[in-house]
Amino acid sequence: MSKKYYLTTPIYYVNAAPHIGHTYTTMAADLVARWKKMQGYDVVLTTGTDEHGQKIERAAKSVKKSPQEFTDIVSGEFRDSWQRLNLGIDRFKRTTDPEHHKKVQALFLACKERGHVYKGSFTGQYCVSCELYVNDANQGDPCPDCGRPTETVTEENYFFKLSAFQDKLLKLYEDQPDFIQPDTRRNEVMAFVKGGLKDLSISRTSIKWGIPVPGEEKHVFYVWFDALTTYMSAVEGEDRWPADLHLIGKEIVRFHAIYWPAFLIAAGWPLPRKVFAHGFLLFGNEKMSKTKGNLVRALPIQEVIGAEALRYYLMREVTFGQDGNFSYDALVTRYNSDLANGLGNLVSRTLSMITQYRKGVLPAGPGNAEVADLARTAIGAVREAYESFQFSRGLESLWSLLSAVDKLIVENAPWKLVKSAEPADQAKLDETLYTAAETVRLASSLLYPVLPESTAKIWAQLGFTSPVAQVAADALDWGQLPAGQALGATGPLFPRIELQPAVDKMVELELKDKARQDALVGKAPVAEASNIAPLAPQITIDDFVKVDLRVGQVLSAERVKGSDKLLHLQIDIGEATPRTIVAGIAEAYTPEQMLGRKVAIVANLAPRKLKGIESQGMIVAASREGEKPTLAGFLEDVPVGARLK
Ligand code: ME8
């Protein structure tokens, strides 16, 4: 039985449609999977979608879909993209899958039984956008990841005793030095863990869209406890766990290298073998993000220049592990220089010479000894580079081999040798042609993980009818080309592309695709006119300043008995005692959601009694006729008592 190799990409959030960042990781994972298959491993590659949480709930609402409908659509976009980009995904796991729910609950119960979780109450600064509590942050601090203001949140949570795992984790990193790669990330993680770990909140009562905590009506699992477990639920019952490799972006290394092994140690379950975190793809040297609107998508690129051009460019241009810039110009330039001119040209030149000078039949080896040596060195270098995720370095070695062969062809000038009647010249011609063709064969075997479709075309042009043989480990040796084999039909592989029209076309398609995806995942549709209440009669500024609007913070909140609509709130607006306010928002907000929240208050409204409670003001909220209210809030932090003018 062949050895198993199990690798994963992150499971991607469905609040944004797939973009080139997701594609980058998934293409790299596909490369590793194909390389491992070539080495004879029985490989499984898992990806999927991360579908729970407040952000997704909100995104669904903004396009008037239920969370389930919404996640079905966006998850489908991911699956479809990977298919169209020819990425060999073996398992696609969604966190909404019932089998996954069972696994998350089992992990929780295992941790609980072994005494690693407890229930507590938590007040902290929370970033709604990143779904993260920000450790050590004070009220109003921005989120360190996205820069948005954090919100103060108090709620009952289950906690995982992460603080107890510091020594065990440090021992893991010491015992398995390549558990986290590259080393820069390992050092960061170790420094972080040495700084001490705080217990981790793993459930929420304020969110509905999530996996229920066993035995707890109100709690659902919080994002990481849920998401990370996908790596196991994706291969449940398959005897695949532990994973050999989690391939991820650097921003989630902490979750994979600290939380995940800690959860598994707590449960007594086996740990993954390696976490490799690559860098960010930047656009215009800036981080890509949905809010900035500078996301680049892969499918428009594929339409113009092909998925393999993109794949080659990403793997060649960016040092895996470091940040790198994506540019349309650099993509086309790299395609033209390396694929059209470099590889494509060598293949077509070689095959056309064999066709013209040797009637399309491959000559016998062993070929030029110097080039054979260079080829052996290149095989070693590429092998080592792929194994250590240094794809760019591997490709660089391979292209120096191609240049050496180009040079040999120019030096030996087959077009002159063919005219000579000397047997020595004819032998030299055979040697040159064999060297060129064998280099093409060997290089395309080494390139298969990066260019699976184009290399299959090259093998067919070389006359191989069974491409499988060329992806076997023993194909990676000089001298395999069968003498006497007739070439297959030849044709262009990488036609040259004109830079500017190609870039213009990609940008044009990109804008179209962006509009399509925005409609799917998140620009609120324009309100229908009929639903908008008519405007109130005009007022003057003097009328307006009569209304005293203040920033208040909710100190406590509870439902009003006997009413589905009303919440009874205590709100601090900076006065000596908090205000009692009764607000008709209970259908839209739970008391837990209101705690700590900053709201706008009409502070000089005459008090009035609602259900026997005197309400000393009104909360400002927006709604259309017959729809639930949405509270007015502040994007930046504002002090309690500030006046709205
Ligand atoms: O973090 N450059 O999902 P996500 C390079 N659901 N890679 C990028 C990138 C960029 N600009 N942008 C995204 C999540 N990526 C969680 C993961 S795993 C149990 C849960 C890639 O949709 C990169 O792999 O935000 C990064 O880690 C991942 O997409 C984040 O995807």
Side-chain angles (χ1 to χ4, degrees), residues 10-13 19 21-22 25 50 231 249 251-252 278 280-281:
I11 49 157
Y12 303 114
Y13 285 132
H19 58 74
H22 305 127
T25 318
D50 191 352
Y231 298 140
E251 83 289 10
I252 53 177
H278 61 66
F280 280 140
L281 276 187

Side-chain angles (χ1 to χ4, degrees), residues 86 305-309 335 343 347-348 351 440-441 444-445 448 451-468 470-471 485 487-495:
N86 189 29
I305 195 168
E308 298 211 330
Y335 168 88
L343 179 65
V347 176
S348 84
L351 300 188
V440 165
R441 182 202 65 79
S444 54
S445 281
Y448 162 77
L451 304 172
E453 284 175 274
S454 307
T455 49
K457 283 187 198 156
I458 296 175
W459 299 326
Q461 296 196 5
L462 280 170
F464 290 102
T465 46
S466 165
V468 180
Q470 295 310 312
V471 297
Q485 175 167 287
L487 298 182
T490 56
L493 288 164
F494 307 105

